[in-house]
Amino acid sequence: MLLEVSNLRLYYRTIRGLVHAVDGVSFDLDKGETLGLVGESGCGKSSTALALMRLLPKNVAVFKGKIILDSEDITSLSEEEFRARIRWKKISMVFQGAMNSLNPVLKVGFQVAEPMIIHLNMDKDEALKRARELFKMVGLSPDFVNRYPHELSGGMKQRVVIAMALALNPELIILDEPTSALDVSIQAQIMNLLKRLKKKLGISMIFITHDIALASDLCDRIAVMYAGNIVELGTAEQVLLDPKHPYAQKLIASVPRLREDRVPEFIPGAPPDLVNPPSGCRFHPRCPYATERCKKEEPPLISLEDGRIVKCWLYG
C-alpha cells in the first residue's frame, strides 16, 4: 500500500462561516494504481488534492486526519520537513490550467530544471540535460527547453507541466483536471501520454476530473465525491457499469451514450451549501429514495460483498 488517507477534514474560514470542503474523506492507493476522483464542481476534489500536498490557503480553519505515505504519517511532519522530503520528491501535482503553473518570463526548460537544482543539488547543465530527457519522455522536442511559455500551444504547456511533475521521480502524481482547458484532440493526446507514463514508470496517480469518460479511460478505481464526502468507491467497472449510491447512479445516467437510445438524465436540485450542509445524508434533498432516517442520521461507509464502499442507508 502506497497511500492511506483516513478521516481527512479541511474547512475554510469565510465571512459566512466554515466551509466544510473536505469532511471525513478516507481512501487508499496501491503502488502503480490510478484512482479517479469524480463529482460535481465544488464537491471537494481539488481541496482533497491540496490537503494531500499541504498547499493550503491562509483561511484554513481545520486541517486534520491521517495521511500515511509509505508507512509514514506525513501529517505529523513540520512544514519544513514536508517541503524538504515529501512535496515534489514523493508527491507531485499537475495543476488545472497549465499557463498558471508556468512563469511567463522564464524559459520552460529552466522551470523544469529548477527543482532538480534546488532539491537534488544538480548543476544547471546537468539539470537541463535531464529536462531534455523529460521533454522527450512527454512527447516534446528536447529543443523546447529554450522556449518561453507564450511560444507553446495549450497541449505543449500541459506536457511541460507534466514533465515538471516528473522531475524528481515522485511515487505519486496528483492530476487536477489536466485536460479541462484543452480541445478534444489534444485531450486524447494527453490521456495517451498519461497511460504510457503509467505503464512505463509504474507511477501511482490520483486523477481528478468531472469527465467520467476520461476517468474510465485511465483509472483502475473510482471514488465518487459529493459535498465533501466520498459516497462510493470501487473498481472502475463496478462504479461505471453498476453504480450503487443514488448520486453515482444519477451521475452515470447524465452521461450521453453513443450506442444506446436513451435520453441523458439530470440531477434534480442543486449542490448543498457547504457552510450549512444538510443534516443526515447530504444527498437526501435530491435523492429519490430518501427516508426519514436519511434526513436525520449521517450514513457510515458501508462495505459491500463485492468489495466496494458505499455511504448510503439503502445498504446499511
Side-chain angles (χ1 to χ4, degrees):
M1 192 68 65
L2 174 66
L3 178 72
E4 295 177 73
V5 177
S6 178
N7 202 28
L8 183 63
R9 297 180 188 274
L10 180 62
Y11 301 167
Y12 300 119
R13 187 182 295 104
T14 68
I15 296 173
R16 294 178 54 238
L18 294 183
V19 176
H20 298 68
V22 181
D23 207 1
V25 163
S26 300
F27 63 88
D28 54 49
L29 185 70
D30 282 327
K31 292 185 177 180
E33 183 183 30
T34 299
L35 174 70
L37 277 182
V38 303
E40 296 170 308
S41 295
C43 70
K45 305 186 299 295
S46 295
S47 289
T48 300
L50 293 176
L52 294 177
M53 290 290 292
R54 270 170 65 170
L55 294 171
L56 305 176
K58 293 182 179 179
N59 67 329
V60 167
V62 175
F63 172 50
K64 61 182 180 181
K66 280 198 171 183
I67 304 171
I68 310 294
L69 181 69
D70 273 341
S71 303
E72 180 183 15
D73 183 2
I74 59 176
T75 51
S76 64
L77 301 178
S78 66
E79 174 58 29
E80 291 74 17
E81 194 173 4
F82 188 91
R83 184 173 62 245
R85 290 181 43 221
I86 306 298
R87 190 184 295 134
W88 237 252
K89 285 188 174 181
K90 290 192 174 183
I91 307 176
S92 64
M93 186 167 174
V94 175
F95 296 92
Q96 187 175 359
M99 196 60 211
N100 299 331
S101 303
L102 297 173
N103 189 324
V105 299
L106 294 177
K107 293 178 179 179
V108 293
F110 177 75
Q111 295 188 57
V112 173
E114 188 176 29
M116 295 180 275
I117 296 170
I118 294 172
H119 294 286
L120 302 182
N121 296 317
M122 287 186 180
D123 61 49
K124 186 177 179 180
D125 291 340
E126 187 183 2
L128 286 172
K129 181 181 177 182
R130 169 68 176 153
R132 289 186 177 91
E133 294 172 0
L134 288 168
F135 276 27
K136 193 173 180 181
M137 185 185 295
V138 299
L140 292 173
S141 168
D143 297 335
F144 277 39
V145 295
N146 294 315
R147 294 197 181 185
Y148 289 93
H150 71 269
E151 299 180 86
L152 307 181
S153 68
M156 291 174 181
K157 290 172 193 167
Q158 199 62 281
R159 290 171 189 264
V160 169
V161 173
I162 292 171
M164 290 173 67
L166 294 170
L168 300 184
N169 298 313
E171 300 173 72
L172 170 63
I173 293 182
I174 302 171
L175 301 136
D176 188 3
E177 302 200 28
T179 61
S180 63
L182 307 175
D183 62 48
V184 175
S185 61
I186 305 302
Q187 270 190 10
Q189 293 176 23
I190 297 298
M191 292 302 293
N192 288 333
L193 167 62
L194 294 175
K195 286 187 281 187
R196 286 199 306 272
L197 292 174
K198 178 184 175 183
K199 185 175 181 180
K200 181 178 179 180
L201 303 178
I203 292 178
S204 300
M205 299 181 185
I206 295 177
F207 184 71
I208 296 171
T209 183
H210 60 266
D211 191 328
I212 295 171
L214 292 181
S216 69
D217 195 31
L218 182 66
C219 301
D220 303 300
R221 290 191 300 149
I222 291 177
V224 180
M225 285 197 73
Y226 182 77
N229 298 152
I230 288 179
V231 295
E232 183 165 350
L233 173 60
T235 66
E237 290 79 9
Q238 287 172 338
V239 175
L240 296 174
L241 299 179
D242 183 29
K244 295 297 186 186
H245 193 279
Y247 173 68
Q249 292 172 356
K250 289 287 187 183
L251 199 64
I252 301 300
S254 69
V255 179
R257 304 291 177 93
L258 290 175
R259 296 176 179 85
E260 289 184 24
D261 187 19
R262 181 181 59 78
V263 177
E265 299 179 21
F266 70 95
I267 305 174
D273 180 2
L274 293 184
V275 174
N276 295 299
S279 59
C281 173
R282 293 186 176 180
F283 187 60
H284 86 255
R286 309 170 73 185
C287 180
Y289 311 111
T291 65
E292 285 302 313
R293 187 181 193 186
C294 300
K295 298 174 183 178
K296 296 176 182 176
E297 299 179 40
E298 182 179 359
L301 289 170
I302 298 163
S303 298
L304 305 185
E305 292 181 358
D306 59 5
R308 84 175 85 185
I309 297 170
V310 182
K311 190 180 177 73
C312 180
W313 285 120
L314 290 175
Y315 308 96

